[in-house]
Amino acid sequence: MPPKKYRKSMGMTLQDMVDDVRAQMEEKLRVRGRSLEAQLRKAGRMLPRHVRRDGAYLARAVALTENPKLARMVNLRQAQAAHRNIMAHLSKVDLAAERTTAFLNLLASIAFALLSTGVLLLFVLWARGFI
């Protein structure tokens, strides 16, 4: 059997889909947790709303499949679509680039604050006649 990475989502069980999502979240976002629900809670705003919603659906679906009568409520096509959406988003995530961007944004805000303070200081000196 080929590794999970190469299998199509159509042949995967619900638990395989959840395990796949959990592994990708741990690898790409460095988010750990006991369950998918815990990982989604920790990921918070690192994930867009539609991805969190799909992840919540998968987490609820796993909880429902533990009870045989409630397992019929799970729509497998919707679970597969949720899995595809989450995996598509996680495949685009580059944590190193996001950290670099955050660092550059911090440097830019510090530089702007220093520049504006300098301009304000020069204006005050000019207005008082020292320049």
Side-chain angles (χ1 to χ4, degrees):
M1 176 178 248
K4 269 190 202 180
K5 188 171 163 181
Y6 300 108
R7 282 190 280 169
K8 290 185 178 179
S9 65
M10 296 302 257
M12 297 176 81
T13 65
L14 189 62
Q15 190 60 46
D16 289 340
M17 287 186 243
V18 169
D19 292 342
D20 199 19
V21 168
R22 290 189 65 204
Q24 282 294 322
M25 284 183 68
E26 189 170 332
E27 179 184 331
K28 295 285 188 166
L29 300 178
R30 305 279 190 246
V31 176
R32 295 183 188 170
R34 292 183 146 203
S35 64
L36 179 60
E37 197 172 282
Q39 282 180 310
L40 289 170
R41 197 174 325 110
K42 285 182 181 181
R45 289 190 170 180
M46 286 191 283
L47 296 172
R49 183 178 296 148
H50 66 93
V51 174
R52 286 193 313 255
R53 185 177 45 235
D54 288 339
Y57 180 78
L58 283 179
R60 279 193 314 270
V62 167
L64 287 175
T65 57
E66 291 175 0
N67 185 330
K69 287 188 178 183
L70 296 178
R72 292 182 285 177
M73 293 173 55
V74 176
N75 184 352
L76 197 55
R77 287 182 192 246
Q78 188 176 356
Q80 290 168 345
H83 176 258
R84 276 194 307 272
N85 292 340
I86 294 169
M87 296 307 285
H89 174 75
L90 291 176
S91 68
K92 296 175 191 172
V93 171
D94 185 11
L95 199 55
E98 288 180 12
R99 285 182 179 158
T100 303
T101 303
F103 179 70
L104 291 175
N105 286 340
L106 177 68
L107 284 180
S109 65
I110 291 171
F112 178 74
L114 290 174
L115 182 67
S116 60
T117 303
V119 168
L120 183 64
L121 177 68
L122 288 175
F123 175 75
V124 169
L125 291 175
W126 175 77
R128 291 191 173 201
F130 292 112
I131 293 180

